[in-house]
Amino acid sequence: MRQFIDKAMEKEHFTLEEMEAAARTMFAEDTSDIAIGGFLTALKTKGETADEITGIVNVIREKSTLKLPTDISGAMDNCGTGGDGSQSFNISTTSAFVIAGAGITVAKHGNRSISSKTGSADVLEHLGISLDLSTEQTNEILQDNGIAFLFAQNVHPAMKRVMKARKELGVPTIFNLIGPLTNPVELSTQLLGTYRRDSLETLANVLNKLGRKRALVLNGAGHMDEASLAGENHLVLLDRGEIMQFTLTPEEVGLPVVDNDLIRGGDAKDNAVILREVLEGKKGPHRDTVLFNAGLAIFANGKAQTVQQGVAMARESIDSGAALMKLENLITYSNAVKQEV
């Protein structure tokens, strides 16, 4: 590990292949926590490049225990990095069902709470959705229902190797950026929210290197890792290798301006109630925030030609009951699996 630490301390960038080698060394059982912490600190101080992020993501994905078929047509994810400190309700999780209700296959990657009160896994578990489906079961529900949840702790057991070092460091590292990138499914498209506005273009380049045909990377008003109704959102669109930066306000897509304080969430029970209410059609800031984020995802997928059209399709997904049906199907499947055990 020493050679990699020294290189990072000299502020020399790694090639993709060098970073893959460094990552494999970092995950090795005989690498000390001190060495892991030293490497992560040196890398953070230097600043992470697209090749370096891609390299570590490649190694995490190759170590994943979930090996789904590569022919899942048009699958996407809308997972964010977290870490924005907004304490919002589970926006991307709620939006995932709306996206699926609009006819897009969603391989929803997520974890338990890390920086927020409630992670996607926490709220879905409270709703009765199983977090420990096998590869075969995950593939079955993904194919039949068009949405499945991939619990990061289960599909990436190798990540436990670096948890102690990360906790002892107590500061954000490259791992705080890469969660949404490590989805083990070969995604075609993606909506990725980040708490770091300075990482937008870098992450778009990483998505290109990972083979995404089309993607949106965003940082919301108030530096949320979701699109926010509070003001100007900063986005980067990746479209077949081409990258374009732009900004977007809720007014531009026919949605109201709403302060971020009005979309704060609570514990898993509170956020499960909010999620259900939105999918059942309750009007208000929670629904409008989901419409914005789901609309952006539908646009990122290419099913909508404009964000405005994506918002309209998201509204129809909710109002028709299609989004709620995706949730109910996932709960029903989970209950059936539990009864078989």
Side-chain angles (χ1 to χ4, degrees):
M1 202 79 233
R2 186 72 229 182
Q3 61 175 316
F4 300 118
I5 295 174
D6 289 343
K7 186 179 179 73
M9 288 181 68
E10 292 296 325
K11 299 192 182 302
E12 295 181 21
H13 296 319
F14 293 79
T15 65
L16 190 150
E17 292 76 17
E18 286 173 335
M19 192 60 183
E20 288 178 342
R24 291 190 183 97
T25 303
M26 182 169 52
F27 284 115
E29 288 300 323
D30 59 352
T31 301
S32 71
D33 292 328
I34 293 175
I36 293 171
F39 178 64
L40 294 177
T41 301
L43 202 61
K44 175 182 173 62
T45 302
K46 178 186 73 64
E48 306 91 345
T49 67
D51 275 342
E52 290 165 352
I53 295 172
T54 305
I56 195 169
V57 166
N58 285 344
V59 172
I60 293 170
R61 293 183 73 240
E62 75 181 18
K63 291 178 176 292
S64 172
T65 58
L66 188 70
K67 305 296 182 184
L68 293 183
T70 58
D71 61 350
I72 300 172
S73 178
M76 80 173 301
D77 192 7
N78 69 324
C79 178
T81 61
D84 62 14
S86 67
Q87 302 298 319
S88 61
F89 75 102
N90 296 92
I91 297 169
S92 64
T93 307
T94 310
S95 300
F97 293 103
V98 180
I99 299 162
I104 298 168
T105 301
V106 181
K108 183 71 179 79
H109 192 238
N111 214 335
R112 291 198 183 279
S113 173
I114 297 175
S115 59
S116 61
K117 288 184 179 179
T118 309
S120 55
D122 302 305
V123 71
L124 291 177
E125 187 176 50
H126 187 84
L127 286 163
I129 294 170
S130 177
L131 304 182
D132 55 0
L133 297 180
S134 67
T135 292
E136 293 74 19
Q137 291 166 337
T138 300
N139 184 50
E140 181 179 25
I141 190 61
L142 189 59
Q143 299 280 10
D144 293 347
N145 192 42
I147 182 171
F149 181 67
L150 316 180
F151 185 29
Q153 288 185 28
N154 286 351
V155 302
H156 299 303
M159 289 294 288
K160 294 178 183 177
R161 181 70 191 84
V162 299
M163 284 306 297
K164 184 179 178 182
R166 290 181 64 195
K167 286 181 179 179
E168 288 179 349
L169 280 176
V171 296
T173 67
I174 192 171
F175 284 103
N176 295 83
L177 283 177
I178 65 176
L181 301 166
T182 60
N183 192 315
V185 176
E186 295 295 334
L187 303 174
S188 298
T189 58
Q190 191 161 354
L191 175 70
L192 194 166
T194 173
Y195 71 100
R196 275 181 50 183
R197 190 164 293 174
D198 66 340
S199 70
L200 290 172
E201 191 167 346
T202 298
L203 292 176
N205 278 308
V206 173
L207 289 169
N208 186 43
K209 291 175 183 291
L210 292 173
R212 305 293 188 267
K213 295 176 182 176
R214 188 175 161 95
L216 264 181
V217 186
L218 69 87
N219 177 261
H223 292 273
M224 288 185 66
D225 74 326
E226 313 274 4
S228 166
L229 299 174
E232 189 175 70
N233 297 270
H234 293 250
L235 304 97
V236 172
L237 173 67
L238 166 69
D239 190 3
R240 289 167 175 78
E242 298 294 322
I243 289 177
M244 180 185 73
Q245 299 186 36
F246 65 102
T247 59
L248 191 66
T249 63
E251 300 104 311
E252 293 177 82
V253 294
L255 293 170
V257 176
V258 176
D259 193 276
N260 286 337
D261 286 342
L262 295 181
I263 58 168
R264 285 181 176 271
D267 60 17
K269 180 179 179 181
D270 297 329
N271 287 3
V273 169
I274 294 171
L275 186 153
R276 269 200 169 277
E277 287 179 342
V278 169
L279 298 189
E280 289 169 356
K282 183 178 179 179
K283 304 288 178 66
H286 296 129
R287 171 188 164 102
D288 289 335
T289 299
V290 168
L291 289 177
F292 199 8
N293 282 273
L296 283 164
I298 296 169
F299 170 69
N301 176 265
K303 193 175 180 70
Q305 297 302 305
T306 65
V307 179
Q308 290 91 331
Q309 185 183 14
V311 170
M313 294 174 73
R315 186 176 287 112
E316 173 62 20
S317 174
I318 295 174
D319 293 345
S320 67
L324 181 62
M325 183 62 69
K326 296 296 182 180
L327 170 65
E328 298 293 2
N329 288 346
L330 200 49
I331 294 171
T332 299
Y333 186 87
S334 295
N335 288 334
V337 168
K338 291 173 186 175
Q339 291 173 6
E340 291 174 2
V341 176

